[in-house]
């Protein structure tokens, strides 16, 4: 297991109990500690930690563990004799030693490895079938003598080094009669020295005598019981550590069942790219439990692993090839060893019989891997026959058919195909496995009547692997299917080419639609059967920016179609194309039409056109109908997950995250972006991974500040393979963060890369926002002429799209070029904030109201400023924008600093005619002790701009230092 993730994760309570017991023992108290639980829950690890604690406290530590191979060895006596050799052997007091009736020790079969071949039924039938066949001889304990209580206490006292004794006994479920006798004596008599008796065992396998002895120890013992439960989800997450996706963690936590040993093993196997089986240490530990099984038990255990979990116990005899009575007796032995359990012990038993399962899937896997391949092949064949005779369906039979059927077996092929069809949406990976097996079995059949069935298998395989995220495998399966359809059957080729085009478009964003064009050439222009091809080609042309050509294709399709799903997809495609080209009014009209159909569809119908949900969501988001976009993408995400359309998940999640961020759901935006990143990474879509990183970082920036987020976005931009809409959106976000960092030059470089002259802007709906950012950057640099030009460009862009949010950015840009007049700037800021509010853009409104408050404070309109900043703080808190909230609090303090203090005359306004408003603000911040960088951050300007202003301030006030500036300001205020 991983050393950096110890198995004691989640055992904090147990550790505190052990520490208390060690402290009590050092103080003279004796304690019995019972640590009970299933294999792998950490009993031995806790005992090891207890030993460390005891040694650190100065206790004598004695530890041993029982073994299934040495049941007669008396653990307690061996330990004590080893610890106190002067009291062993002939030095033991002989008086009081009386004969005791000899005890039986169970005899087990010789140890075998799990991989050893089982005996044939004819051979094994002549042998005793039970595991607990008792020997005919008797073994007296301690050479026919008992150890009296006084002698046991004397041994303990001799072992004590002055601080007490820790006696650790592990795996007591395997203890023999000798150990149980001594343990019984130890528990009922005073130990004679401070003692911790720590016992680890598996209660399901422990003999009744052990349980009874531990249940009622003598009164002089404190009793501590630590029944180990499976770890909770938080502890499992901690134990797994980083390196797994969210879906992987969910699967591993479910499969691990809270067992730290098995969970760590599963985590290692999931992370390893080279592991081909269980680690030898784990395999040896599991095989140790099965090595003592007799032949019948081993055969039944293997049969259970062949049947899988849960399994029907009435099928075991047939699969193990044993008589039913012997199989059931062997099953009883496996149950006594806790190798098999009830599948659902908490639920009601079945009407006829109760299903069983292996103790854990790791145990089942170990048994399966060590089963000889020939025996397993025959067992799977017997399992299929037994299931068929019992009336089981294709889903139950398929795992065994896939492993045992011969090529050309048409019945087996039919079973696999039917089973795959039944489970494709519930377990697409399993369905894909069965379809591959069916294709393999049918590969040797050259008869013509099987070709249509192979075509169906390939189509089903393409759908199944697409649901698992294997888009390359989906494309390959569709290509093989298309090869089976002759050109003379174009109606059969249409669905293959249409689906293949959608997959290719996801894998290769630069897909040019050439395959669609070639296939469309086989069809008359107005034949509605080719509408799926025309729709896919229109989507490709929209992505390429060839909007007129896309519209012509959609016009032809609209006239001919009567399929509501295609009509919805057409409307969504038109809406997105109009949004991309900046025609927002037509975009809203088409989006409303698509939304009406979308909302009217049942999930089953909608599942066939989720690609249209992606286009509809982005069209609505770019039209500032973010709440509609959220409603549709949220439903689309749930449906895509339920139906296994993982290739659409990144697109839906990215749109969802974008809309959440625009409306102020910052935590949800970061979560959606994180899910999109995981899914896009699994699908090997680097551009979508980069945009997901950008959205997550931008949401984080509003919550914690721009510093770390800007670096993440910059790294994401470098990873993008080509410039396009996603790159422009990411670059715009990074530009805003660079401005927040006081780096206006870097900000302007990014904005120019997006809207450079002579280059069409891919997203006109966002142009006014980008121009506003550039306006503010130029104003921060002191380049007012360039700022006015950018503000004019923002106004022009806003007039083109007629969106309230973009108009807000245009008005905001005007405020940045009118900083010379605080009253005028304040009116622009107020108007911008109101426009953002009408568009539902809460973070933008909060920032505008914060700027408004600062502007009003500069004009000494303090009451109005306090209201504006208070509203900004409330909006920031509602959105979870902690960074903006901190800036608002700073502004509130600054406003409070301008108010007259009780008992003092309000300071006169510094009316020095030489200082501008901006210079006066900077001078006041210098007087308050702020650094240049802090001033730049508070005023949203660059450090270089602050330095330039300070140079002019020093010159105007005839000072040469910051301290001189403070003195000069004091003189002005006193005047």
């Amino acid at each position: 297991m991983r050393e950096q993730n110890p198995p004691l994760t989640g055992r904090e309570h147990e550790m505190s109990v052990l520490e208390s017991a060690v402290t009590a023992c050092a103080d003279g108290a004796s304690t019995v500690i019972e640590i009970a639980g299933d294999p792998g829950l950490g009993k031995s690890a806790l005992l090891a930690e207890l030993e460390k604690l005891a040694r650190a406290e100065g206790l004598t530590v004695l530890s041993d563990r029982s073994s299934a191979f040495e049941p007669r060895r008396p653990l307690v006596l061996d330990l004590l004799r080893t610890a106190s050799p002067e009291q062993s052997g002939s030095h033991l007091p002989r008086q009081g030693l009386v004969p005791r009736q000899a005890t039986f020790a169970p005899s087990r079969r010789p140890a075998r490895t799990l991989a050893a071949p089982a005996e044939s039924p004819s051979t094994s039938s002549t042998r005793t079938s039970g595991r607990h066949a008792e020997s005919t001889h008797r073994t007296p304990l301690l050479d026919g003598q008992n150890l009296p209580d006084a002698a046991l206490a004397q041994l303990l006292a001799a072992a004590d080094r002055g601080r007490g004794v820790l006696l650790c006994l592990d795996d007591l479920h395997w203890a023999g009669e000798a150990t149980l006798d001594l343990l019984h004596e130890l528990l009922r008599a005073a130990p004679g020295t401070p003692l911790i008796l720590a016992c680890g065992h598996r209660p399901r396998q422990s003999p009744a005598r052990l349980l009874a002895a531990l249940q009622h120890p003598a009164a002089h013992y404190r009793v501590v019981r630590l029944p180990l439960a499976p770890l909770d989800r938080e502890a499992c997450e901690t134990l797994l550590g980083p390196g797994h996706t969210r879906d992987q963690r969910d699967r591993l936590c479910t499969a691990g069942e809270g067992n730290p040993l098995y969970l760590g093993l599963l985590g290692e196997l999931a992370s390893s790219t080279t592991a081909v089986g269980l680690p030898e240490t784990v395999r040896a530990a599991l095989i140790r439990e099965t090595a003592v099984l007799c032949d019948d038990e081993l055969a039944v255990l293997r049969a259970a692993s062949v049947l899988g979990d849960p399994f029907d116990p009435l099928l075991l005899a047939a699969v193990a090839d044993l008589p039913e009575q012997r199989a059931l007796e062997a099953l009883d032995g496996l149950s006594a060893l806790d190798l098999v359990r009830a599948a659902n012990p908490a639920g009601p038993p079945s009407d006829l019989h109760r299903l069983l399962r292996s103790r854990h899937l790791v145990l089942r896997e170990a048994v399966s891997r060590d089963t000889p391949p020939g025996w397993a092949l025959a067992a799977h064949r017997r399992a299929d026959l037994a299931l068929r005779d019992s009336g089981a369906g294709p889903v139950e039979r398929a795992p065994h058919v896939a492993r045992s059927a011969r090529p050309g077996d048409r019945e087996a092929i039919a079973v696999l195909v039917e089973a795959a069809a039944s489970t494709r949406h519930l377990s697409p990976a399993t369905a894909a496995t069965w379809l591959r097996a069916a294709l393999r079995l049918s590969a040797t059949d050259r008869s013509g009547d099987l070709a249509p069935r192979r075509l169906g298998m390939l189509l089903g395989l393409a759908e199944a692997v697409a649901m698992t995220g294997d888009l390359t495998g989906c494309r390959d399966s569709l290509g093989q299917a298309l090869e089976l359809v002759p050109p003379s059957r174009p109606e059969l080729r249409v669905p293959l080419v249409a689906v293949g085009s959608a997959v290719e478009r996801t894998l290769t964003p630069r897909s040019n639609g050439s395959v669609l064009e070639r296939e469309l050439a086989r069809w008359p222009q107005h034949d509605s059967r080719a509408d799926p091809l025309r729709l896919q080609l229109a989507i490709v042309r929209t992505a390429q920016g060839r909007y007129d050509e896309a519209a012509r294709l959609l016009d032809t399709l609209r006239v001919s179609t009567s399929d509501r799903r295609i009509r919805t997809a057409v409307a969504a495609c038109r809406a997105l194309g109009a949004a991309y080209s900046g025609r927002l009014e037509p975009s809203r009209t088409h989006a409303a039409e698509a939304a009406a159909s979308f909302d009217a569809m049942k999930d089953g119908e909608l599942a066939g056109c989720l690609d249209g949900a992606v286009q509809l969501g982005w069209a609505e988001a770019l039209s500032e109908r973010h709440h509609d976009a959220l409603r549709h993408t949220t439903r689309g995400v749930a449906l895509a997950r339920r139906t296994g359309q993982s290739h659409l998940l990144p697109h839906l999640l990215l749109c969802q995250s974008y809309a959440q961020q625009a409306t102020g759901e910052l935590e949800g935006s970061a979560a959606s972006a994180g899910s999109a990143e995981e899914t896009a990474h699994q699908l090997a879509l680097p551009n979508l991974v980069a945009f997901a990183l950008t959205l997550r970082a931008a949401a984080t920036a509003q919550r914690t500040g721009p510093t770390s987020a800007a670096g993440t976005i910059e790294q994401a931009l470098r990873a993008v393979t080509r410039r396009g809409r996603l790159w422009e959106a990411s670059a715009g976000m990074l530009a805003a963060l660079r401005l927040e960092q006081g780096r206006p030059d870097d900000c302007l470089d990014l904005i120019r890369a997006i809207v450079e002259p002579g280059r069409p802007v891919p997203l006109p709906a966002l142009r006014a926002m980008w121009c506003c950012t550039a306006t503010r950057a130029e104003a921060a640099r002191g380049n007012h002429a360039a700022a006015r030009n950018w503000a004019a460009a923002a106004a022009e862009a806003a007039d083109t799209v007629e969106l309230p949010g973009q108009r807000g950015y245009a008005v905001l840009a005007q405020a940045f070029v009118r900083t010379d007049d605080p009253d005028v700037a304040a009116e622009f800021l107020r108007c911008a904030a109101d426009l953002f509010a009408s568009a539902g853009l809460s973070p933008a409104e909060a920032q505008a109201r914060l700027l408004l408050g600062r502007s009003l404070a500069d004009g000494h309109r303090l009451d109005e400023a306090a209201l504006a900043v208070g509203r900004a703080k409330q909006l920031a808190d509602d959105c979870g924008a902690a960074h903006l909230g901190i800036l608002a609090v700073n502004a509130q303090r600054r406003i409070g600093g301008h108010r007259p203090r009780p008992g003092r005359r309000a300071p006169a306004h510094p009316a020095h005619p030489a200082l501008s408003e901006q210079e006066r603000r900077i001078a006041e911040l210098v007087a308050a002790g702020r650094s240049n960088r802090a001033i730049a951050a508070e005023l949203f300007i660059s450090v270089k701009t602050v330095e330039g202003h300070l140079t002019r301030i020093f010159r105007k006030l005839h000072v040469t230092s910051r301290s001189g500036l403070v003195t000069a300001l004091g003189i002005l205020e006193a005047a």
Side-chain angles (χ1 to χ4, degrees), residues 35-36 227 271 312 522 546 560 596 629 681 685 912 917:
I35 305 178
S271 301
D312 183 348
R522 307 176 190 272
R546 296 160 64 175
S560 61
H681 181 75
L685 303 174
H912 197 292
E917 287 293 328

Side-chain angles (χ1 to χ4, degrees), residues 1 265-266 268-270 272-284 286 362 365-366 368-370:
M1 298 301 98
L265 171 63
L266 293 171
E268 286 185 0
L269 295 178
S272 175
T273 58
T274 59
V276 295
L278 299 174
E280 284 303 315
T281 54
V282 177
R283 180 175 176 271
L286 294 171
V362 173
E365 180 67 13
S368 178
R369 287 177 183 268
D370 281 324

Side-chain angles (χ1 to χ4, degrees), residues 787-798:
R788 285 192 293 272
N789 291 336
W790 280 111
E796 180 183 355

Side-chain angles (χ1 to χ4, degrees), residues 542-563:
T542 299
Q544 293 174 327
R546 296 160 64 175
Y547 306 118
D548 293 339
E549 186 176 343
R552 286 194 296 272
L553 284 163
L554 294 174
D555 288 340
T556 302
L557 189 147
R558 283 285 297 267
V559 171
S560 61
T561 185
S562 59
D563 189 326

Side-chain angles (χ1 to χ4, degrees), residues 31 173 179 192 229 347 404 462 464 646 662 693 712 756 794 905 928-929 938 973:
T31 306
H173 47 278
T179 296
S404 63
S646 59
L693 281 170
T712 301
E756 58 189 353
R905 180 177 59 87
E938 182 161 345
E973 290 184 0

Side-chain angles (χ1 to χ4, degrees), residues 212-296:
L214 291 172
Q215 191 66 31
H216 301 290
H220 52 263
Y221 282 111
R222 295 170 62 247
V223 179
V224 173
R225 305 193 191 281
L226 297 178
L228 299 187
L231 299 180
D232 59 22
R233 177 58 184 261
E234 182 179 357
C236 289
E237 294 268 6
T238 302
L239 188 61
L240 283 174
H244 302 288
T245 67
R246 183 175 303 173
D247 289 341
Q248 284 177 325
R249 289 196 300 272
D250 289 341
R251 291 195 298 270
L252 289 171
C253 289
T254 300
E257 299 179 5
N259 188 300
L261 173 68
Y262 297 154
L263 182 65
L265 171 63
L266 293 171
E268 286 185 0
L269 295 178
S271 301
S272 175
T273 58
T274 59
V276 295
L278 299 174
E280 284 303 315
T281 54
V282 177
R283 180 175 176 271
L286 294 171
I287 289 177
R288 184 174 63 177
E289 296 190 64
T290 60
V292 296
L293 301 180
C294 69
D295 296 329
D296 286 357

Side-chain angles (χ1 to χ4, degrees), residues 387-410:
L387 287 167
R388 185 190 64 184
D389 293 342
S390 67
V395 173
E396 291 80 8
R397 294 178 58 191
H400 310 291
V401 171
R403 290 173 172 85
S404 63
R406 303 177 188 277
D409 187 337
R410 294 202 169 194

Side-chain angles (χ1 to χ4, degrees), residues 584-864:
L584 273 301
E585 186 59 36
S587 177
R588 284 191 289 267
T589 302
H590 293 306
E593 178 186 351
S597 296
F598 187 99
D599 294 336
M601 288 187 193
K602 301 292 186 182
D603 284 355
E605 184 180 8
L606 182 59
C609 59
L610 277 184
D611 200 0
V614 176
Q615 298 165 61
L616 173 60
W618 276 115
E620 291 172 328
L622 293 174
S623 300
E624 294 184 358
R625 299 174 63 179
H626 295 101
H627 293 290
D628 290 336
L630 280 174
R631 186 177 79 256
H632 294 137
T633 54
T634 299
R635 184 184 177 193
V637 166
L639 192 54
R641 282 176 170 154
R642 192 160 64 247
T643 58
Q645 299 185 60
S646 59
H647 62 291
L648 295 177
L649 270 176
H651 301 277
L652 289 163
L653 286 165
L654 288 172
C655 182
Q656 184 181 57
S657 176
Y658 180 88
Q660 287 171 321
Q661 193 164 149
T663 56
E665 297 181 39
L666 299 181
E667 184 176 358
S669 175
S672 298
S675 297
E677 179 188 349
E678 287 186 6
T679 310
H681 181 75
Q682 292 170 358
L683 296 174
L685 303 174
N687 290 344
L688 298 187
V689 171
F691 191 51
L693 281 170
T694 297
L695 286 174
R696 183 159 58 87
T700 302
Q702 296 189 62
R703 300 169 71 186
T704 61
T707 303
S708 60
T712 301
I713 298 179
E714 190 171 31
Q715 181 182 3
L717 283 176
R718 288 196 297 267
V720 174
T721 58
R722 68 182 182 91
R723 288 196 176 187
R725 298 180 186 88
L726 297 183
W727 188 92
E728 271 81 14
S730 300
M733 294 179 188
L734 179 58
L737 291 184
R738 290 303 187 210
L739 185 58
E740 295 281 345
Q741 291 179 298
R743 297 168 57 177
D745 294 337
D746 294 338
C747 168
L748 286 166
D749 288 342
L750 288 163
I751 296 297
R752 292 189 189 105
I754 301 172
V755 296
E756 58 189 353
R759 184 173 180 272
V761 180
L763 294 172
L766 303 180
R767 184 182 182 113
M769 178 178 68
W770 295 331
C771 292
C772 175
T773 302
T775 303
R776 188 173 178 183
E778 291 288 15
R781 297 173 67 200
N783 192 343
H784 300 294
R788 285 192 293 272
N789 291 336
W790 280 111
E796 180 183 355
D799 289 341
T800 300
V801 297
E802 297 182 343
L803 293 173
Q806 295 303 300
R807 286 193 182 278
Y809 283 112
V811 174
L812 188 62
Q814 293 297 324
F816 293 138
V817 299
R818 294 303 308 271
T819 54
D820 58 322
D821 190 332
D823 290 336
V824 173
E827 289 309 311
F828 279 127
L829 290 168
R830 195 189 312 276
C831 179
D834 291 341
L835 286 166
F836 290 140
S838 67
L841 306 178
S842 297
E845 181 192 354
Q847 190 172 45
R849 297 203 183 277
L850 175 59
L851 294 171
L852 171 61
R854 289 173 172 173
S855 180
L856 291 169
D858 289 341
H860 295 276
R861 298 158 63 179
L862 300 183
D863 291 338
E864 295 177 74

